[in-house]
Amino acid sequence: MNAHFEISSLLPTHGFAGLGPPHIELVPTEPLSNPYWLTWNARLAGVLGLPAQPTDMWLQRLSGQLEHTPWCSVYSGHQFGVWAGQLGDGRAHVIGLLGDHGVPQEIQLKGAGKTPFSRMGDGRAVLRSSIREYLCSEAMAGLGIPTTRALAIVGSALPVRRETIETAAIVTRVAPSFIRFGHFEHFAHHGHSAELQHLTDDVIAHFYPECVDQPVPALALLTAVIRRTAALMAQWQAVGFCHGVMNTDNMSILGLTLDYGPFGFMDQFDFHHICNHSDTQGRYAYAQQPRIGWWNCGALGSALLPLIVDEGALREALDGYEPVFQGALTSAFRSKLGLARERGDDDVLIGRLLTLLHQNHTDFTRFFRALSHLESKTTEAEAKVGDLVIDRAAFESWAASYRERLAWESSIDSVRQQAMLRVNPKYVLRNYLAEIAIRAAQAGNPEVIDAVQRVLEAPFDEHPEHESWAGTPPGWADALSVSCSS
Ligand code: AMP
Ligand code: MG
């Protein structure tokens, strides 16, 4: 056994598993038969102390064939704003821990069979959704946005019924913890205060040690989670990422992007963009995400109230969300515009731009990338940006204000351009890119997953061999529809 992967010896005493029942249950996997590799993330493997080339032993393990019993956890949550009762790891097993520079990381198989929390589900994940989760986890990491990671995908011929018959796969996810707001809501809802206290103490001890000595540790934890969540929302907004299912059971207590399902990066900017076909009311539309992040923090706060006790203090903590979010958002858009200094009317300039992009259905990623090439003396680059906006006069009016703003801080072209090219990605995981990788893998060419991943793990760099992936999406991309089915 690899020295870094002492899963059986780590299991009883380390990490969340140390909490024991009723938080977790030991649950055997239902391994996939005749598994095959779709991809192995050599870079992440290296960080975790695993080989660059995976061995057969790893194929067996990551398809669910284990010599020990992994664990699953119970949680509940609010789905689409409504209390949904008990949910839990219905298709996720934590098989052990690995160290990332000494920080223990949970290794979790998604799709390795039914668990006591599967409810009506089959415990499986399909190839399509596993590729989407894998690529988006790594794309977010490439963008510098907090996220769970993905180590590998294994496939199999096992048929799985969704809208059509598809095949099963397992994606291996990696994170310091997969604990969700819903874990806290679960014990709070049932009035199990000892378990709630135990969970809170454990999360603080492992992930928020600075809260231990605070007068009310649970309040300090909530405040810290609120800050991380607000900051995460600002980062999503700044790259045009829509999560699609911001239910409280998909909200990470560590402020990570978690549970990639019907997510989407916007092509054309639209405040009301809904990436999830199943979200008929638009509860999780692009412009709603920050408010929903706050609402979800409210649900976490209610769950922690028995430990916080003081309702006024709880409200005050929640009031802290908005300024953190606004500050992070303005700062992110300032960086996107290459503004090194702050000026009181920056929000006006940013707001005018977003309205312009919205009204003109302008490609969000391409616009900011093109703007990163703007020069003060020539109008060539400005013309190229203007080409992306239908209402040329409105763009030019905004651009005049922008140039005035750059002149105000004596912005130096080369310095600003360099900074902007490091925050405005050339490549994001557009739906059609994921689709290209999925169709290729389904046709027996999984290496396209790696090609897409390589570009997305360095999204700010030029990749001349994949220039087209940074261009206008092909016509067929418009017809793609993504739902909760995964
Ligand atoms: P999600 O919508 O993916 O966030 O999942 C919500 C809940 O349904 C979680 O408890 C999942 O574990 C569970 N779930 C989703 N799909 C399946 C499946 N195919 N089999 C078992 N449980 C599932
Ligand atoms: Mg989920």
Side-chain angles (χ1 to χ4, degrees):
M1 182 179 279
N2 187 308
H4 297 278
F5 205 74
E6 304 282 348
I7 29 187
S8 30
S9 63
L10 283 172
L11 200 61
T13 49
H14 291 265
F16 192 36
L19 278 173
H23 300 273
I24 65 145
E25 275 190 42
L26 296 183
V27 180
T29 48
E30 296 167 345
L32 291 177
S33 49
N34 300 319
Y36 63 92
W37 284 118
L38 280 146
T39 185
W40 169 260
N41 187 344
R43 244 200 213 188
L44 180 60
V47 172
L48 296 171
L50 303 180
Q53 288 293 330
T55 56
D56 279 351
M57 180 186 73
W58 281 100
L59 182 61
Q60 303 307 326
R61 277 181 179 158
L62 301 190
S63 64
Q65 281 189 43
L66 301 161
E67 287 151 16
H68 66 286
T69 310
W71 57 265
C72 305
S73 68
V74 64
Y75 54 81
S76 296
H78 285 84
Q79 297 187 320
F80 290 89
V82 177
W83 178 248
Q86 183 182 305
L87 302 163
D89 290 326
R91 49 172 171 172
H93 295 74
V94 174
I95 63 167
L97 298 170
L98 286 170
D100 171 356
H101 301 106
V103 180
Q105 304 284 317
E106 289 182 1
I107 310 299
Q108 186 183 70
L109 305 186
K110 182 168 175 179
K114 281 192 192 161
T115 78
F117 314 111
S118 298
R119 298 175 297 147
M120 306 297 282
D122 55 11
R124 295 299 179 191
V126 294
L127 177 66
R128 165 180 55 84
S129 65
S130 303
I131 293 173
R132 281 173 54 84
E133 170 136 30
Y134 177 91
L135 285 176
C136 202
S137 307
E138 296 312 291
M140 294 298 256
L143 290 166
I145 298 177
T147 179
T148 61
R149 301 294 302 273
L151 176 65
I153 313 174
V154 298
S156 86
L158 182 74
V160 176
R161 178 178 289 278
R162 293 295 179 260
E163 273 94 3
T164 60
I165 302 290
E166 304 186 44
T167 55
I170 293 177
V171 58
T172 300
R173 308 197 290 189
V174 179
S177 171
F178 293 90
I179 298 180
R180 301 140 193 273
F181 290 9
H183 282 92
F184 294 83
E185 290 179 280
H186 179 77
F187 295 107
H189 179 80
H190 293 288
H192 295 164
S193 30
E195 284 78 8
L196 180 67
Q197 181 79 61
H198 198 178
L199 173 65
T200 305
D201 291 346
D202 190 79
V203 167
I204 289 176
H206 283 98
F207 307 111
Y208 293 92
E210 69 279 12
C211 299
V212 174
D213 296 328
Q214 293 301 308
V216 185
L219 179 63
L221 171 66
L222 177 66
T223 305
V225 175
I226 284 171
R227 296 186 76 86
R228 285 199 198 182
T229 305
L232 181 69
M233 293 306 114
Q235 286 183 286
W236 286 1
Q237 300 305 95
V239 294
F241 173 79
C242 300
H243 181 284
V245 212
M246 289 178 65
N247 295 333
T248 56
D249 54 301
N250 291 335
M251 296 295 291
S252 155
I253 199 71
L254 302 185
L256 307 173
T257 312
L258 170 65
D259 277 10
Y260 293 93
F263 66 82
F265 281 87
M266 271 189 282
D267 296 325
Q268 300 175 345
F269 185 75
D270 176 1
F271 285 120
H272 314 302
H273 179 72
I274 303 166
C275 62
N276 177 0
H277 190 69
S278 318
D279 181 10
T280 46
Q281 304 292 312
R283 177 178 171 86
Y284 301 137
Y286 170 77
Q288 298 299 324
Q289 296 189 125
R291 193 183 59 81
I292 293 292
W294 171 81
W295 192 92
N296 289 342
C297 286
L300 176 66
S302 301
L304 288 172
L305 187 57
L307 310 184
I308 295 174
V309 182
D310 179 349
E311 281 189 45
L314 171 63
R315 269 196 301 276
E316 213 174 289
L318 287 167
D319 286 347
Y321 179 96
E322 171 84 16
V324 174
F325 168 72
Q326 279 305 340
L329 188 76
T330 304
S331 160
F333 273 97
R334 251 192 214 110
S335 302
K336 288 177 80 67
L337 292 176
L339 306 177
R341 292 176 53 196
E342 296 180 16
R343 203 170 86 173
D345 59 356
D346 287 343
D347 277 333
V348 178
L349 187 73
I350 295 165
R352 271 178 66 200
L353 174 59
L354 293 180
T355 303
L356 183 76
L357 299 183
H358 171 82
Q359 286 170 344
N360 288 272
H361 312 288
T362 306
D363 191 288
F364 186 70
T365 306
R366 296 189 68 211
F367 179 89
F368 280 101
R369 188 72 181 185
L371 195 71
S372 310
H373 294 285
L374 197 81
E375 298 198 333
S376 48
K377 296 240 160 38
T378 69
T379 51
E380 200 185 317
E382 184 173 316
K384 279 195 186 156
V385 192
D387 286 345
L388 297 169
V389 185
I390 303 163
D391 186 346
R392 197 64 176 242
F395 169 71
E396 276 164 16
S397 156
W398 178 84
S401 306
Y402 178 51
R403 280 182 183 277
E404 176 276 315
R405 176 65 182 77
L406 293 178
W408 176 81
E409 64 173 46
S410 308
S411 185
I412 299 163
D413 283 352
S414 59
V415 175
R416 183 187 66 254
Q417 285 166 348
Q418 248 188 4
M420 287 175 77
L421 291 169
R422 300 321 295 168
V423 294
N424 291 313
K426 177 154 178 165
Y427 298 93
V428 292
L429 182 59
R430 296 174 187 271
N431 267 340
Y432 91 91
L433 281 182
E435 192 64 22
I436 286 175
I438 291 164
R439 289 182 190 176
Q442 286 169 338
N445 302 311
E447 59 283 353
V448 180
I449 302 172
D450 299 336
V452 175
Q453 185 195 340
R454 269 194 301 279
V455 168
L456 294 176
E457 69 191 11
F460 304 107
D461 293 353
E462 296 291 328
H463 299 274
E465 71 284 18
H466 293 301
E467 190 63 29
S468 69
W469 291 353
T472 309
W476 58 266
D478 291 341
L480 292 174
S481 148
V482 181
S483 71
C484 276
S485 147
S486 62

